[in-house]
Amino acid sequence: MKKNTKNSKYTEIITEASTSAKELASAACASCAPRVTTVETAQTSAEASAAAEACPFHIGIDVGSTTVKLAVLDNDNEILWAVYRRHHADVRATIVEVLREAAAAYPNETMTIAITGSGGLLLSQWLDVTFVQEVIASKTAVETFIPKTDVAIELGGEDAKIIYFDNGIEQRMNGTCAGGTGAFIDQMATLLHTDASGLNELAANATTIYPIASRCGVFAKTDVQPLLNEGARPEDVAASIFQAVVTQTISGLACGRPIRGNVAFLGGPLQYLSELRHRFYLTLNLDEEHRIVPQNAHLFVASGAAMAHESNKLSTFPQLIGAIDALGDTQGAEVGMIQRWFEHGLTESPEAMARIMTVIAFVRPGDLYGQPIDINVPEYGLKLLNLQLEDTADTAATVESNN
């Protein structure tokens, strides 16, 4: 540890990842405890298995908080066509866009289809398409492509996961806080007047790591801005931001459980940001033998959904596009229901909140694709962020039945 003699709140400067992974894991905040899920092997129905065997192509669509991923696989689990695209909160338009691109490559082919991701549940219901839980999709992809994995670390736009594959399968996921995720990295990058890839380039030339809070973007900004004002090198600040993400992931999710053995790095941020992976390597003391960085790590969940073979429904890309184009009335009914929920001052369960957020992601402010609506989407979205999730979805259903 090296001391800075300058009179500053940043007197302690970390020159290496000296805080051990064990120490970080033990420092987990009880108020931000991760959601822990134990996974049992799912049984694929005979109908779904038969459909998978009869059909040579399989579609997996992962609708995340910031991106849409689509992968087309064959029966050998080879990715034939794929796309990874930010949706900038316009999920519907982005999905239609990627489906049209896929339709140009596969205009008439019939395929099985499955949807996954935090924004995919309601879409799957609207389209009557099988929904695959993210943890099942990740499990399927990891066991197929990288079976030697002991632990997988996956970072997304607004979620972070650690999945343990020893003694069964256990997933640990962040709760309501998006600190230490792709959205956090984007937010911090703006302070350096760059984007995530620019942050990665800066971090490659870092020589010093500063302690930065990562649980909250607001707290992190109060650390980053004074550093910049005091003349800290942007390269060092960039690497420090990545180290903050590592610290948050390990301390907030592992909660004392060791991360060891063969560790896989999944998700868009870890696929594209090599310096972020480097900070994980140093903190976890991972040598090259125990690092797993698979090709197409950003497509693992979409690929896993396609490979799960939980669907016996066959479709073509033009049929999917047509089904989405016909969703207007369905969305209007959902938005009306949401309005009544808020009018009654309800707070909802995480499951109901996920449904609300999916609807909001599909609706433009003040307009439902040409049909006027009475919901102010940004205002309702802000209310959602402040909800204390106390009541259950049953309460909402009771109010809905009384209207």
Short mmCIF file of all heavy atoms in Angstrom, two decimals, residues 316-358:
data_model
loop_
_atom_site.label_atom_id
_atom_site.label_comp_id
_atom_site.label_asym_id
_atom_site.label_seq_id
_atom_site.Cartn_x
_atom_site.Cartn_y
_atom_site.Cartn_z
N THR A 316 -41.69 -18.69 -38.50
CA THR A 316 -40.71 -18.07 -39.40
C THR A 316 -40.52 -16.62 -38.95
O THR A 316 -41.34 -16.06 -38.21
CB THR A 316 -41.19 -18.08 -40.86
OG1 THR A 316 -42.36 -17.24 -40.98
CG2 THR A 316 -41.51 -19.50 -41.31
N PHE A 317 -39.45 -15.99 -39.42
CA PHE A 317 -39.21 -14.60 -39.05
C PHE A 317 -40.33 -13.68 -39.54
O PHE A 317 -40.78 -12.81 -38.79
CB PHE A 317 -37.85 -14.14 -39.57
CG PHE A 317 -36.69 -14.63 -38.75
CD1 PHE A 317 -35.74 -15.48 -39.29
CD2 PHE A 317 -36.56 -14.26 -37.42
CE1 PHE A 317 -34.68 -15.94 -38.53
CE2 PHE A 317 -35.50 -14.71 -36.64
CZ PHE A 317 -34.55 -15.55 -37.20
N PRO A 318 -40.81 -13.82 -40.78
CA PRO A 318 -41.93 -12.97 -41.20
C PRO A 318 -43.17 -13.14 -40.33
O PRO A 318 -43.89 -12.17 -40.06
CB PRO A 318 -42.19 -13.43 -42.64
CG PRO A 318 -40.87 -13.92 -43.12
CD PRO A 318 -40.27 -14.59 -41.93
N GLN A 319 -43.44 -14.35 -39.85
CA GLN A 319 -44.58 -14.56 -38.97
C GLN A 319 -44.40 -13.83 -37.63
O GLN A 319 -45.35 -13.25 -37.10
CB GLN A 319 -44.78 -16.05 -38.73
CG GLN A 319 -45.32 -16.80 -39.95
CD GLN A 319 -45.33 -18.31 -39.75
OE1 GLN A 319 -44.64 -18.84 -38.86
NE2 GLN A 319 -46.09 -19.01 -40.57
N LEU A 320 -43.19 -13.85 -37.10
CA LEU A 320 -42.92 -13.14 -35.86
C LEU A 320 -43.09 -11.64 -36.02
O LEU A 320 -43.67 -10.95 -35.17
CB LEU A 320 -41.50 -13.45 -35.37
CG LEU A 320 -41.25 -14.85 -34.83
CD1 LEU A 320 -39.76 -15.02 -34.51
CD2 LEU A 320 -42.08 -15.11 -33.59
N ILE A 321 -42.60 -11.12 -37.14
CA ILE A 321 -42.73 -9.68 -37.41
C ILE A 321 -44.20 -9.30 -37.50
O ILE A 321 -44.64 -8.29 -36.94
CB ILE A 321 -41.98 -9.30 -38.70
CG1 ILE A 321 -40.47 -9.52 -38.51
CG2 ILE A 321 -42.26 -7.85 -39.07
CD1 ILE A 321 -39.68 -9.43 -39.80
N GLY A 322 -44.98 -10.11 -38.19
CA GLY A 322 -46.41 -9.85 -38.31
C GLY A 322 -47.11 -9.88 -36.96
O GLY A 322 -48.00 -9.07 -36.69
N ALA A 323 -46.71 -10.80 -36.10
CA ALA A 323 -47.33 -10.91 -34.78
C ALA A 323 -47.03 -9.68 -33.93
O ALA A 323 -47.89 -9.18 -33.20
CB ALA A 323 -46.84 -12.17 -34.07
N ILE A 324 -45.80 -9.17 -34.01
CA ILE A 324 -45.45 -7.97 -33.25
C ILE A 324 -46.20 -6.76 -33.79
O ILE A 324 -46.68 -5.91 -33.03
CB ILE A 324 -43.93 -7.74 -33.29
CG1 ILE A 324 -43.20 -8.84 -32.51
CG2 ILE A 324 -43.57 -6.37 -32.71
CD1 ILE A 324 -41.70 -8.74 -32.54
N ASP A 325 -46.34 -6.67 -35.11
CA ASP A 325 -47.06 -5.55 -35.71
C ASP A 325 -48.52 -5.52 -35.28
O ASP A 325 -49.17 -4.47 -35.31
CB ASP A 325 -46.98 -5.61 -37.24
CG ASP A 325 -45.60 -5.27 -37.77
OD1 ASP A 325 -44.85 -4.62 -37.02
OD2 ASP A 325 -45.28 -5.64 -38.91
N ALA A 326 -49.05 -6.67 -34.86
CA ALA A 326 -50.47 -6.76 -34.49
C ALA A 326 -50.70 -6.58 -32.99
O ALA A 326 -51.78 -6.88 -32.49
CB ALA A 326 -51.03 -8.11 -34.94
N LEU A 327 -49.71 -6.08 -32.26
CA LEU A 327 -49.81 -6.01 -30.81
C LEU A 327 -50.47 -4.75 -30.27
O LEU A 327 -50.60 -4.61 -29.06
CB LEU A 327 -48.41 -6.11 -30.18
CG LEU A 327 -47.78 -7.50 -30.16
CD1 LEU A 327 -46.39 -7.42 -29.54
CD2 LEU A 327 -48.65 -8.49 -29.40
N GLY A 328 -50.88 -3.83 -31.10
CA GLY A 328 -51.36 -2.53 -30.63
C GLY A 328 -52.42 -2.61 -29.56
O GLY A 328 -52.29 -2.03 -28.49
N ASP A 329 -53.53 -3.32 -29.82
CA ASP A 329 -54.62 -3.38 -28.87
C ASP A 329 -54.20 -4.05 -27.57
O ASP A 329 -54.62 -3.67 -26.48
CB ASP A 329 -55.81 -4.13 -29.47
CG ASP A 329 -56.45 -3.35 -30.60
OD1 ASP A 329 -56.25 -2.11 -30.65
OD2 ASP A 329 -57.11 -3.96 -31.44
N THR A 330 -53.36 -5.09 -27.70
CA THR A 330 -52.89 -5.79 -26.51
C THR A 330 -52.12 -4.85 -25.60
O THR A 330 -52.33 -4.81 -24.38
CB THR A 330 -51.99 -6.97 -26.90
OG1 THR A 330 -52.74 -7.86 -27.73
CG2 THR A 330 -51.50 -7.71 -25.68
N GLN A 331 -51.23 -4.06 -26.19
CA GLN A 331 -50.45 -3.11 -25.39
C GLN A 331 -51.34 -2.07 -24.75
O GLN A 331 -51.14 -1.67 -23.61
CB GLN A 331 -49.39 -2.44 -26.27
CG GLN A 331 -48.27 -3.37 -26.68
CD GLN A 331 -47.29 -2.66 -27.58
OE1 GLN A 331 -47.31 -2.87 -28.78
NE2 GLN A 331 -46.46 -1.83 -27.03
N GLY A 332 -52.37 -1.60 -25.48
CA GLY A 332 -53.26 -0.60 -24.93
C GLY A 332 -53.95 -1.10 -23.67
O GLY A 332 -54.10 -0.38 -22.69
N ALA A 333 -54.39 -2.36 -23.69
CA ALA A 333 -55.04 -2.94 -22.51
C ALA A 333 -54.08 -3.02 -21.34
O ALA A 333 -54.43 -2.74 -20.19
CB ALA A 333 -55.57 -4.33 -22.86
N GLU A 334 -52.83 -3.40 -21.62
CA GLU A 334 -51.83 -3.49 -20.55
C GLU A 334 -51.57 -2.12 -19.95
O GLU A 334 -51.48 -1.97 -18.73
CB GLU A 334 -50.53 -4.08 -21.10
CG GLU A 334 -50.63 -5.53 -21.56
CD GLU A 334 -50.60 -6.48 -20.38
OE1 GLU A 334 -50.36 -6.03 -19.25
OE2 GLU A 334 -50.83 -7.68 -20.60
N VAL A 335 -51.45 -1.10 -20.80
CA VAL A 335 -51.18 0.24 -20.30
C VAL A 335 -52.33 0.74 -19.46
O VAL A 335 -52.15 1.35 -18.41
CB VAL A 335 -50.91 1.21 -21.48
CG1 VAL A 335 -50.86 2.66 -20.98
CG2 VAL A 335 -49.59 0.85 -22.17
N GLY A 336 -53.57 0.47 -19.89
CA GLY A 336 -54.73 0.87 -19.10
C GLY A 336 -54.73 0.23 -17.72
O GLY A 336 -55.07 0.87 -16.72
N MET A 337 -54.34 -1.03 -17.65
CA MET A 337 -54.27 -1.72 -16.37
C MET A 337 -53.21 -1.08 -15.47
O MET A 337 -53.43 -0.88 -14.27
CB MET A 337 -53.93 -3.19 -16.60
CG MET A 337 -53.82 -4.01 -15.32
SD MET A 337 -53.46 -5.74 -15.67
CE MET A 337 -51.83 -5.59 -16.42
N ILE A 338 -52.07 -0.72 -16.06
CA ILE A 338 -51.01 -0.09 -15.28
C ILE A 338 -51.49 1.25 -14.72
O ILE A 338 -51.22 1.58 -13.56
CB ILE A 338 -49.75 0.12 -16.15
CG1 ILE A 338 -49.12 -1.24 -16.48
CG2 ILE A 338 -48.73 0.99 -15.44
CD1 ILE A 338 -48.00 -1.14 -17.46
N GLN A 339 -52.20 2.02 -15.53
CA GLN A 339 -52.73 3.29 -15.05
C GLN A 339 -53.60 3.09 -13.81
O GLN A 339 -53.49 3.84 -12.84
CB GLN A 339 -53.55 3.96 -16.16
CG GLN A 339 -52.70 4.54 -17.28
CD GLN A 339 -53.55 5.20 -18.33
OE1 GLN A 339 -53.95 4.57 -19.29
NE2 GLN A 339 -53.83 6.47 -18.14
N ARG A 340 -54.46 2.08 -13.83
CA ARG A 340 -55.34 1.85 -12.69
C ARG A 340 -54.54 1.41 -11.46
O ARG A 340 -54.89 1.76 -10.34
CB ARG A 340 -56.41 0.81 -13.05
CG ARG A 340 -57.45 1.35 -14.03
CD ARG A 340 -58.63 0.41 -14.15
NE ARG A 340 -58.30 -0.82 -14.84
CZ ARG A 340 -58.32 -0.94 -16.17
NH1 ARG A 340 -58.61 0.09 -16.93
NH2 ARG A 340 -58.03 -2.09 -16.74
N TRP A 341 -53.48 0.65 -11.66
CA TRP A 341 -52.63 0.26 -10.54
C TRP A 341 -52.08 1.50 -9.83
O TRP A 341 -52.09 1.60 -8.62
CB TRP A 341 -51.48 -0.63 -11.01
CG TRP A 341 -51.90 -2.03 -11.33
CD1 TRP A 341 -53.12 -2.58 -11.14
CD2 TRP A 341 -51.08 -3.04 -11.90
NE1 TRP A 341 -53.11 -3.89 -11.57
CE2 TRP A 341 -51.87 -4.20 -12.04
CE3 TRP A 341 -49.75 -3.09 -12.31
CZ2 TRP A 341 -51.38 -5.38 -12.57
CZ3 TRP A 341 -49.26 -4.27 -12.84
CH2 TRP A 341 -50.07 -5.40 -12.96
N PHE A 342 -51.56 2.44 -10.63
CA PHE A 342 -50.98 3.64 -10.04
C PHE A 342 -52.05 4.55 -9.43
O PHE A 342 -51.83 5.19 -8.41
CB PHE A 342 -50.17 4.40 -11.08
CG PHE A 342 -48.80 3.86 -11.27
CD1 PHE A 342 -48.45 3.19 -12.44
CD2 PHE A 342 -47.84 4.00 -10.29
CE1 PHE A 342 -47.18 2.68 -12.61
CE2 PHE A 342 -46.56 3.50 -10.46
CZ PHE A 342 -46.23 2.84 -11.62
N GLU A 343 -53.21 4.62 -10.07
CA GLU A 343 -54.29 5.45 -9.54
C GLU A 343 -54.70 4.98 -8.15
O GLU A 343 -55.14 5.78 -7.32
CB GLU A 343 -55.48 5.42 -10.49
CG GLU A 343 -55.25 6.22 -11.76
CD GLU A 343 -56.30 5.93 -12.82
OE1 GLU A 343 -57.20 5.11 -12.54
OE2 GLU A 343 -56.19 6.49 -13.93
N HIS A 344 -54.58 3.68 -7.88
CA HIS A 344 -54.94 3.14 -6.58
C HIS A 344 -53.75 3.14 -5.61
O HIS A 344 -53.84 2.63 -4.50
CB HIS A 344 -55.49 1.72 -6.72
CG HIS A 344 -56.88 1.68 -7.26
ND1 HIS A 344 -57.15 1.82 -8.61
CD2 HIS A 344 -58.08 1.56 -6.64
CE1 HIS A 344 -58.46 1.74 -8.80
NE2 HIS A 344 -59.05 1.59 -7.62
N GLY A 345 -52.63 3.70 -6.06
CA GLY A 345 -51.47 3.81 -5.17
C GLY A 345 -50.85 2.49 -4.79
O GLY A 345 -50.28 2.35 -3.70
N LEU A 346 -50.96 1.50 -5.68
CA LEU A 346 -50.45 0.17 -5.35
C LEU A 346 -48.93 0.11 -5.48
O LEU A 346 -48.33 0.76 -6.32
CB LEU A 346 -51.07 -0.88 -6.26
CG LEU A 346 -52.58 -1.08 -6.14
CD1 LEU A 346 -53.04 -2.10 -7.16
CD2 LEU A 346 -52.91 -1.56 -4.74
N THR A 347 -48.33 -0.69 -4.65
CA THR A 347 -46.95 -1.11 -4.87
C THR A 347 -47.00 -2.60 -5.13
O THR A 347 -47.81 -3.32 -4.56
CB THR A 347 -46.07 -0.81 -3.64
OG1 THR A 347 -46.65 -1.42 -2.49
CG2 THR A 347 -45.96 0.68 -3.43
N GLU A 348 -46.12 -3.06 -6.00
CA GLU A 348 -46.26 -4.42 -6.51
C GLU A 348 -45.08 -5.32 -6.15
O GLU A 348 -44.03 -4.86 -5.72
CB GLU A 348 -46.42 -4.39 -8.04
CG GLU A 348 -47.59 -3.52 -8.51
CD GLU A 348 -48.89 -3.93 -7.88
OE1 GLU A 348 -49.06 -5.12 -7.56
OE2 GLU A 348 -49.74 -3.07 -7.67
N SER A 349 -45.28 -6.59 -6.38
CA SER A 349 -44.22 -7.58 -6.20
C SER A 349 -43.18 -7.40 -7.31
O SER A 349 -43.45 -6.76 -8.33
CB SER A 349 -44.81 -8.98 -6.28
OG SER A 349 -45.27 -9.23 -7.60
N PRO A 350 -41.97 -7.96 -7.16
CA PRO A 350 -40.98 -7.89 -8.23
C PRO A 350 -41.51 -8.45 -9.55
O PRO A 350 -41.18 -7.94 -10.62
CB PRO A 350 -39.81 -8.73 -7.68
CG PRO A 350 -39.95 -8.62 -6.20
CD PRO A 350 -41.43 -8.59 -5.95
N GLU A 351 -42.35 -9.50 -9.48
CA GLU A 351 -42.88 -10.08 -10.71
C GLU A 351 -43.80 -9.09 -11.42
O GLU A 351 -43.74 -8.92 -12.64
CB GLU A 351 -43.63 -11.37 -10.40
CG GLU A 351 -42.76 -12.53 -9.93
CD GLU A 351 -42.32 -12.40 -8.48
OE1 GLU A 351 -42.87 -11.52 -7.76
OE2 GLU A 351 -41.42 -13.15 -8.06
N ALA A 352 -44.67 -8.42 -10.64
CA ALA A 352 -45.56 -7.43 -11.24
C ALA A 352 -44.78 -6.24 -11.76
O ALA A 352 -45.09 -5.68 -12.81
CB ALA A 352 -46.60 -6.99 -10.22
N MET A 353 -43.75 -5.85 -11.03
CA MET A 353 -42.94 -4.73 -11.48
C MET A 353 -42.24 -5.05 -12.80
O MET A 353 -42.13 -4.20 -13.69
CB MET A 353 -41.89 -4.38 -10.43
CG MET A 353 -41.07 -3.14 -10.76
SD MET A 353 -39.97 -2.68 -9.41
CE MET A 353 -39.13 -1.27 -10.15
N ALA A 354 -41.79 -6.30 -12.94
CA ALA A 354 -41.15 -6.70 -14.19
C ALA A 354 -42.13 -6.58 -15.35
O ALA A 354 -41.77 -6.16 -16.45
CB ALA A 354 -40.64 -8.14 -14.08
N ARG A 355 -43.39 -6.94 -15.08
CA ARG A 355 -44.40 -6.83 -16.13
C ARG A 355 -44.62 -5.37 -16.51
O ARG A 355 -44.71 -5.02 -17.69
CB ARG A 355 -45.71 -7.44 -15.64
CG ARG A 355 -46.83 -7.43 -16.67
CD ARG A 355 -48.05 -8.14 -16.15
NE ARG A 355 -49.11 -8.19 -17.13
CZ ARG A 355 -50.28 -8.78 -16.94
NH1 ARG A 355 -50.52 -9.38 -15.78
NH2 ARG A 355 -51.19 -8.78 -17.87
N ILE A 356 -44.71 -4.49 -15.50
CA ILE A 356 -44.91 -3.08 -15.76
C ILE A 356 -43.75 -2.50 -16.57
O ILE A 356 -43.94 -1.78 -17.54
CB ILE A 356 -45.07 -2.30 -14.43
CG1 ILE A 356 -46.36 -2.74 -13.72
CG2 ILE A 356 -45.09 -0.80 -14.68
CD1 ILE A 356 -46.50 -2.17 -12.33
N MET A 357 -42.53 -2.83 -16.15
CA MET A 357 -41.37 -2.28 -16.84
C MET A 357 -41.28 -2.77 -18.28
O MET A 357 -40.84 -2.05 -19.17
CB MET A 357 -40.08 -2.64 -16.09
CG MET A 357 -39.96 -1.97 -14.72
SD MET A 357 -40.10 -0.17 -14.79
CE MET A 357 -38.59 0.25 -15.65
N THR A 358 -41.73 -3.99 -18.54
CA THR A 358 -41.73 -4.50 -19.90
C THR A 358 -42.70 -3.71 -20.76
O THR A 358 -42.39 -3.34 -21.91
CB THR A 358 -42.12 -5.99 -19.94
OG1 THR A 358 -41.20 -6.71 -19.13
CG2 THR A 358 -42.06 -6.52 -21.36
#
